[in-house]
Amino acid sequence: MDNIRRGNKQLIKELNRAILINTILNYGPVSRTRISEITDLGLSTVSNIVADLIKKELIYETGEEESSGGRRAILLEFNCNDRFVLGIKIGLDGIIIGLVNMKSKILDQHFIPSPVKSNEEIVLEVLIRAIRDLISKNHIKAEKILGCGIGVSGLVNQKEGTLVFSKILGWKQIRFKELLEKEFDFPIFVDKDVNVLTLTEKRFGVGKKINNFICITIGKGVGAGIVIKGDIYHGSYGGAGDFGHIIIDKDGPLCYCGKRGCLETFSSDQFIINKIKEALSNQQDTIIKDFLKKKEDLNSITVDTVLEAAQKGDVISKNIFQEVGKSLAIGIVSLVSLFDPELIVLGGEGVKAGELIFPTMRKVIRDNFPFKKEIKIVPLQPGEEGWIIGAAELVLSEVFKTPIFKSKGKVAIKSAFHW
Amino acid sequence: MDNIRRGNKQLIKELNRAILINTILNYGPVSRTRISEITDLGLSTVSNIVADLIKKELIYETGEEESSGGRRAILLEFNCNDRFVLGIKIGLDGIIIGLVNMKSKILDQHFIPSPVKSNEEIVLEVLIRAIRDLISKNHIKAEKILGCGIGVSGLVNQKEGTLVFSKILGWKQIRFKELLEKEFDFPIFVDKDVNVLTLTEKRFGVGKKINNFICITIGKGVGAGIVIKGDIYHGSYGGAGDFGHIIIDKDGPLCYCGKRGCLETFSSDQFIINKIKEALSNQQDTIIKDFLKKKEDLNSITVDTVLEAAQKGDVISKNIFQEVGKSLAIGIVSLVSLFDPELIVLGGEGVKAGELIFPTMRKVIRDNFPFKKEIKIVPLQPGEEGWIIGAAELVLSEVFKTPIFKSKGKVAIKSAFHW
DNA sequence: TAGATACTTTCTTCACTGAAACAAGTATCT
DNA sequence: AGATACTTGTTTCAGTGAAGAAAGTATCTA
């Protein structure tokens, strides 16, 4: 209540423009009359606002509809290629950068191999060059870029736009926002990679119309993006959704995070590798042996090695994935108890092993909720687009944010509703 | 965005009235000029709205302030005793019912001993009589009652206003809303007891200015009320916050809920009783023996018995409480990993044993987060007011809800901003 | 040409706004 | 004590500009 703007003509104006633009985004191409019907705004009001928005080049007329017995309707469309957004995903393998239009369509994307194990300066240098290259290659004026969103693995301070710490990347304290904003004239937004992927699912994917859901990523680590009442939930200090570090075994083994019995100690890539190494050193019968050139070459084993073995029918390997499935299920059971979500989405590298993990996982979940009707669990198609679109969405969601709330402090980005 | 009202004069009007009433509620008694400063509304606007609200008897002038060098300010106050709300808490021991004014002050309250193990009809009958008695005893016209909030232990369907199932009360499928609304002309709101208590803390207690926090109740069961972005989070099906049934030991003992290793199997009243019985049957040395008249009278042991023993220094009993503390800590660690809240509040019967439980709990939490700065954990004073105020708040929060959102379906309650 | 549908123009309404007027006090000087 | 200046709080009133209503225009079909 306290953070709501007072009512005056300015608010009405912005609000109705927001409603109108959103209607065109969702229903477009669409006529004035139809907009009036959908939004319940007066026809003259719609006409006036439309005229204003056309003048400002935010929308444009794009032909006529078939007649339905009278004058043909003039269709309106959002001018989504007038300005652009950059979406960046920083991963262990490298950086993916994409140019995205205002309707979240990827226009161009590039991959820059990893500058991992680098320090702040080098990472930033690579990013700056990548951004400049992308902009110039697409012949876009820099002032047409609305902003840049970055998704990165680790603990992120959203407000400061810094990566506080990332175990996987081996980085800490990288001031993306501050340093990139020095270089460019558009705002930078940073968030955890899981949250970025979750955002994509919320806006365009399986979570589109769902208010409360959780998107779990399985891979090097285990994380979760939490959507509550339609928004990503970050927690008070940005650390929410640390699904990999809930405790599923109170007297379990020590985790690198300092706790005991974390889910991640039973389900991450490292767990799989450790398990298979253990099996090998116990002389257990697994075809992984045949994969190794030298017998001692244990360090060359990756999750993909084990996955391949399991897919070829190796029992030991299959069992390991099943065990991962069981542990994930235990974690999900707790998630469901706490969040009671409508949907759980599974993403990340780990879905590649889905066939091996999910059946056990689903079974354990079912067994644990005998009185509850089946919980909707949907695996995601792997791919890079999700990350880019989500990162770009960090910017777009700000641009198209409902103009009802007071903006405290200096405004990071100008809302589309008073361009 | 889709659920936001379109901008027009009506919205401006309601919005500014809402802002003004809220300002008076928060800062009152307060002058027109001060309201203008706080809200940023024009002075003439404030005067106009005030005149309107005085006419509608929502606010009134209540004397003058000391002069600060000029004309004395006329103070305005919210007319909080013009209408009333009922708050009911249904517990194992009985029903507490309270008459609450619009500023959440309890004006009268009564206790009706338990109709537990009764069927739907009897429970409803008792409630109806209790409500009638309270209203007539206080000489209040029924039309002055805005609504009635009910807090009850168990799984609640908020929308339907039903208790779906309660293990503790042994009830299922009680249609509070439907049946009580047949009897009375005001709307009924039902929520889980934990959420009701949490609501009180959010509005008036330690959580007042905190956006994200969790309120844990310890007692017959273990539950949690979750506050996210200032609102209680219910989950998609009303089951969120089932903290007692997160899994802290994946291979732990079977819980009555059908899962294995639930927190509640390590921390509820039943756990404490079972543990002490076990100790007694193992002939361990505890002064509880002396408490029992007959040696075999094991079933007379309650948590209070064990608590008394522990407070008298009984080592076995003390250890049990410490074990509870440890298990709760493990659960809280997972909560923190998932929610990253600013604050954790501890309430419920269990706080009586706080001295025995909390030190261990805090230590285990600290040990588990070596890299994290201390987490704020605040125990609550036990008492009944919290339940009543929270239950009443279920109604008041609807009455004073920000008038920005579209109300879908038929409106449950008329907002104060267009009385 | 009648009827339907889409859009535009013109005019009205009404809640906020800001400036000025008014009201009622304090401070200070004679 | 009375006059004057200043301060603070409230009301009045003309003005603004957004939505909205109604009437008019444009364009299509049958």
Side-chain angles (χ1 to χ4, degrees):
Chain A
M1 187 70 236
D2 299 329
N3 59 341
I4 281 176
R5 288 172 57 181
R6 67 179 202 274
N8 54 18
K9 273 173 272 197
Q10 183 60 30
L11 177 68
I12 293 189
K13 199 173 166 180
E14 285 179 37
L15 209 51
N16 288 341
R17 271 158 180 68
I19 290 171
L20 205 143
I21 289 176
N22 263 287
T23 308
I24 297 181
L25 276 170
N26 291 332
Y27 296 83
V30 60
S31 72
R32 291 168 175 81
T33 309
R34 183 92 188 87
I35 294 174
S36 166
E37 285 164 15
I38 294 168
T39 60
D40 215 29
L41 285 162
L43 192 50
S44 52
T45 308
V46 171
S47 271
N48 280 327
I49 297 176
V50 162
D52 179 44
L53 294 179
I54 287 178
K55 209 173 68 189
K56 286 180 180 153
E57 296 192 311
L58 257 137
I59 60 177
Y60 61 94
E61 297 185 338
T62 178
E64 295 182 337
E65 207 171 12
E66 283 290 279
S67 167
S68 60
R71 175 173 169 178
R72 284 197 291 249
I74 304 165
L75 292 173
L76 299 163
E77 184 54 290
F78 186 67
N79 190 4
C80 59
N81 290 314
D82 184 44
R83 315 198 188 195
F84 309 91
V85 168
L86 304 176
I88 295 176
K89 152 83 199 255
I90 302 177
L92 192 57
D93 311 323
I95 292 170
I96 313 167
I97 179 167
L99 179 72
V100 177
N101 77 5
M102 283 193 287
K103 251 187 162 176
S104 295
K105 193 181 158 197
I106 299 176
L107 304 176
D108 188 17
Q109 73 180 81
H110 292 281
F111 179 78
I112 297 105
S114 173
V116 158
K117 303 290 169 205
S118 331
N119 58 21
E120 185 178 85
E121 278 167 49
I122 298 178
V123 177
L124 265 298
E125 219 167 84
V126 171
L127 274 178
I128 290 169
R129 160 156 303 169
I131 293 172
R132 284 204 203 293
D133 283 357
L134 189 71
I135 294 177
S136 68
K137 199 172 292 174
N138 286 277
H139 310 292
I140 286 170
K141 287 182 206 149
E143 62 265 30
K144 288 287 183 185
I145 303 287
L146 289 170
C148 171
I150 300 175
V152 59
S153 150
L155 179 62
V156 169
N157 181 328
Q158 254 221 317
K159 209 175 145 192
E160 306 282 332
T162 59
L163 174 68
V164 178
F165 166 79
S166 170
K167 198 251 173 182
I168 288 172
L169 297 171
W171 293 345
K172 61 178 168 182
Q173 212 44 53
I174 304 209
R175 293 166 295 162
F176 289 111
K177 187 182 172 68
E178 183 189 334
L179 298 174
L180 287 175
E181 284 185 354
K182 249 184 208 158
E183 207 66 30
F184 300 102
D185 272 336
F186 44 76
I188 309 292
F189 298 87
V190 189
D191 206 341
K192 240 193 298 193
D193 53 358
V194 208
N195 288 342
V196 155
L197 189 68
T198 308
L199 210 48
T200 306
E201 289 312 308
K202 171 61 205 161
R203 286 277 291 135
F204 308 101
V206 284
K208 204 170 173 182
K209 305 209 160 177
I210 295 178
N211 278 320
N212 307 304
F213 72 91
I214 292 173
C215 178
I216 297 170
T217 53
I218 312 157
K220 303 270 176 318
V222 178
I226 299 168
V227 175
I228 283 178
K229 292 183 189 166
D231 287 322
I232 299 275
Y233 172 66
H234 289 94
S236 289
Y237 311 106
D242 200 3
F243 182 50
H245 295 279
I246 67 169
I247 297 174
I248 63 166
D249 183 354
K250 65 194 177 77
D251 305 306
L254 197 65
C255 176
Y256 69 84
C257 76
K259 304 203 287 280
R260 283 200 168 278
C262 292
L263 171 58
E264 207 162 294
T265 62
F266 298 101
S267 59
S268 67
D269 287 1
Q270 198 55 51
F271 169 80
I272 295 170
I273 293 166
N274 289 345
K275 272 278 169 177
I276 199 74
K277 281 182 182 171
E278 198 180 293
L280 285 168
S281 65
N282 289 343
Q283 308 294 327
Q284 287 188 267
D285 183 32
T286 156
I287 61 171
I288 297 257
K289 270 189 300 199
D290 310 332
F291 290 8
L292 301 176
K293 281 167 195 155
K294 296 182 216 154
K295 206 177 164 186
E296 295 76 22
D297 210 4
L298 285 173
N299 288 329
S300 71
I301 298 178
T302 67
V303 174
D304 288 331
T305 324
V306 190
L307 177 57
E308 199 187 326
Q311 280 165 342
K312 283 185 176 159
D314 184 54
V315 177
I316 303 275
S317 302
K318 274 162 75 176
N319 284 344
I320 294 174
F321 282 107
Q322 278 176 20
E323 206 171 325
V324 168
K326 188 196 162 189
S327 297
L328 285 174
I330 299 287
I332 290 175
V333 164
S334 293
L335 268 192
V336 171
S337 296
L338 288 173
F339 288 97
D340 195 19
E342 204 167 325
L343 167 74
I344 287 178
V345 181
L346 297 170
E349 287 282 298
V351 290
K352 285 196 298 188
E355 284 170 35
L356 295 158
I357 294 175
F358 297 161
T360 311
M361 198 187 78
R362 286 178 200 274
K363 183 182 178 311
V364 174
I365 292 174
R366 242 195 333 271
D367 290 351
N368 268 290
F369 283 124
F371 307 123
K372 197 157 183 155
K373 68 165 195 278
E374 191 101 5
I375 293 145
K376 220 189 296 171
I377 302 180
V378 177
L380 231 52
Q381 297 304 320
E384 290 169 351
E385 286 75 15
W387 305 103
I388 298 178
I389 292 173
E393 189 64 26
L394 291 177
V395 184
L396 290 174
S397 63
E398 285 296 312
V399 173
F400 293 111
K401 187 169 66 179
T402 319
I404 279 196
F405 302 102
K406 285 182 196 162
S407 47
K408 35 202 165 193
K410 72 164 195 293
V411 190
I413 197 162
K414 204 172 173 187
S415 155
F417 313 124
H418 41 218
W419 276 348
Chain B
M1 187 68 236
D2 299 330
N3 60 341
I4 282 177
R5 290 172 57 180
R6 68 178 199 276
N8 54 17
K9 272 174 282 197
Q10 185 60 29
L11 178 68
I12 294 188
K13 203 172 161 180
E14 284 179 37
L15 210 51
N16 287 342
R17 271 156 181 70
I19 290 171
L20 204 143
I21 289 175
N22 262 287
T23 309
I24 295 181
L25 276 170
N26 291 331
Y27 297 82
V30 59
S31 71
R32 291 167 173 82
T33 310
R34 183 94 186 84
I35 293 174
S36 166
E37 285 165 12
I38 294 168
T39 60
D40 215 29
L41 284 163
L43 206 43
S44 48
T45 309
V46 172
S47 270
N48 281 328
I49 297 176
V50 162
D52 179 43
L53 294 178
I54 286 178
K55 208 173 70 189
K56 286 179 180 151
E57 296 193 312
L58 257 139
I59 60 175
Y60 61 95
E61 298 185 336
T62 178
E64 296 182 335
E65 206 169 17
E66 282 289 280
S67 166
S68 59
R71 177 173 169 178
R72 284 193 294 244
I74 303 165
L75 293 173
L76 299 164
E77 184 55 289
F78 186 68
N79 190 3
C80 58
N81 289 315
D82 186 42
R83 314 196 189 197
F84 309 91
V85 168
L86 305 176
I88 295 176
K89 151 85 198 252
I90 303 178
L92 191 58
D93 310 324
I95 292 170
I96 313 169
I97 179 168
L99 178 72
V100 177
N101 76 4
M102 284 194 286
K103 252 188 159 172
S104 295
K105 193 181 158 194
I106 300 176
L107 303 176
D108 188 17
Q109 73 180 79
H110 291 280
F111 178 78
I112 296 107
S114 173
V116 158
K117 304 288 169 205
S118 332
N119 59 20
E120 186 178 87
E121 279 168 48
I122 298 180
V123 176
L124 265 298
E125 217 168 88
V126 171
L127 274 178
I128 291 170
R129 159 156 302 169
I131 293 173
R132 284 205 202 290
D133 283 356
L134 189 69
I135 294 178
S136 68
K137 200 172 290 177
N138 286 276
H139 309 292
I140 286 170
K141 285 182 209 150
E143 63 264 29
K144 288 288 185 184
I145 303 287
L146 289 169
C148 172
I150 300 175
V152 59
S153 151
L155 179 61
V156 169
N157 181 328
Q158 253 221 316
K159 209 176 146 192
E160 305 283 331
T162 59
L163 174 67
V164 178
F165 167 80
S166 171
K167 198 251 171 182
I168 288 173
L169 298 172
W171 294 345
K172 61 178 167 182
Q173 213 41 54
I174 303 207
R175 294 166 295 162
F176 288 113
K177 187 183 173 67
E178 184 190 333
L179 298 174
L180 287 175
E181 284 184 355
K182 249 183 212 160
E183 206 66 30
F184 300 103
D185 272 336
F186 45 76
I188 310 291
F189 298 88
V190 189
D191 205 340
K192 238 192 305 191
D193 53 356
V194 208
N195 288 342
V196 155
L197 188 67
T198 308
L199 210 47
T200 306
E201 289 311 309
K202 172 61 203 161
R203 286 277 292 133
F204 309 101
V206 284
K208 205 170 172 181
K209 306 208 161 177
I210 295 177
N211 278 320
N212 307 303
F213 73 92
I214 292 173
C215 178
I216 296 170
T217 53
I218 312 158
K220 303 270 177 314
V222 178
I226 299 168
V227 174
I228 283 178
K229 292 183 188 165
D231 287 322
I232 299 276
Y233 173 67
H234 289 94
S236 289
Y237 310 106
D242 200 4
F243 181 51
H245 296 278
I246 67 169
I247 297 174
I248 63 166
D249 183 354
K250 65 192 176 79
D251 305 306
L254 197 65
C255 176
Y256 70 84
C257 76
K259 303 204 289 279
R260 285 198 167 277
C262 292
L263 172 57
E264 207 164 294
T265 62
F266 297 103
S267 59
S268 66
D269 287 1
Q270 199 55 50
F271 169 81
I272 294 169
I273 294 166
N274 290 346
K275 271 279 171 177
I276 200 74
K277 281 181 182 171
E278 197 180 294
L280 286 167
S281 65
N282 287 344
Q283 308 293 327
Q284 287 187 269
D285 184 33
T286 155
I287 61 171
I288 296 257
K289 271 189 298 200
D290 310 332
F291 291 7
L292 300 176
K293 282 168 195 156
K294 295 181 217 155
K295 204 177 170 187
E296 295 78 20
D297 209 5
L298 284 173
N299 288 330
S300 70
I301 298 178
T302 66
V303 174
D304 288 332
T305 325
V306 190
L307 177 58
E308 198 189 327
Q311 281 166 342
K312 283 186 176 157
D314 184 54
V315 177
I316 303 274
S317 302
K318 275 162 74 176
N319 284 345
I320 294 174
F321 281 108
Q322 278 176 20
E323 206 171 325
V324 168
K326 189 195 162 190
S327 297
L328 285 173
I330 299 287
I332 291 174
V333 164
S334 293
L335 269 191
V336 171
S337 295
L338 288 173
F339 288 96
D340 196 18
E342 203 167 325
L343 166 74
I344 287 178
V345 181
L346 297 169
E349 286 281 299
V351 290
K352 284 197 299 191
E355 283 170 36
L356 295 158
I357 294 174
F358 297 161
T360 311
M361 198 187 77
R362 287 179 199 274
K363 183 182 179 310
V364 174
I365 293 174
R366 243 196 330 270
D367 290 351
N368 268 291
F369 283 124
F371 306 124
K372 195 155 184 157
K373 68 167 196 279
E374 190 98 9
I375 294 145
K376 220 190 293 170
I377 302 180
V378 179
L380 230 53
Q381 298 303 321
E384 289 168 353
E385 286 75 15
W387 305 103
I388 297 179
I389 291 174
E393 190 63 25
L394 291 176
V395 184
L396 290 174
S397 64
E398 285 296 313
V399 173
F400 293 111
K401 187 170 66 179
T402 320
I404 279 198
F405 302 102
K406 285 182 196 160
S407 44
K408 36 200 164 194
K410 70 164 200 289
V411 191
I413 196 163
K414 203 170 173 187
S415 155
F417 313 126
H418 41 219
W419 275 349

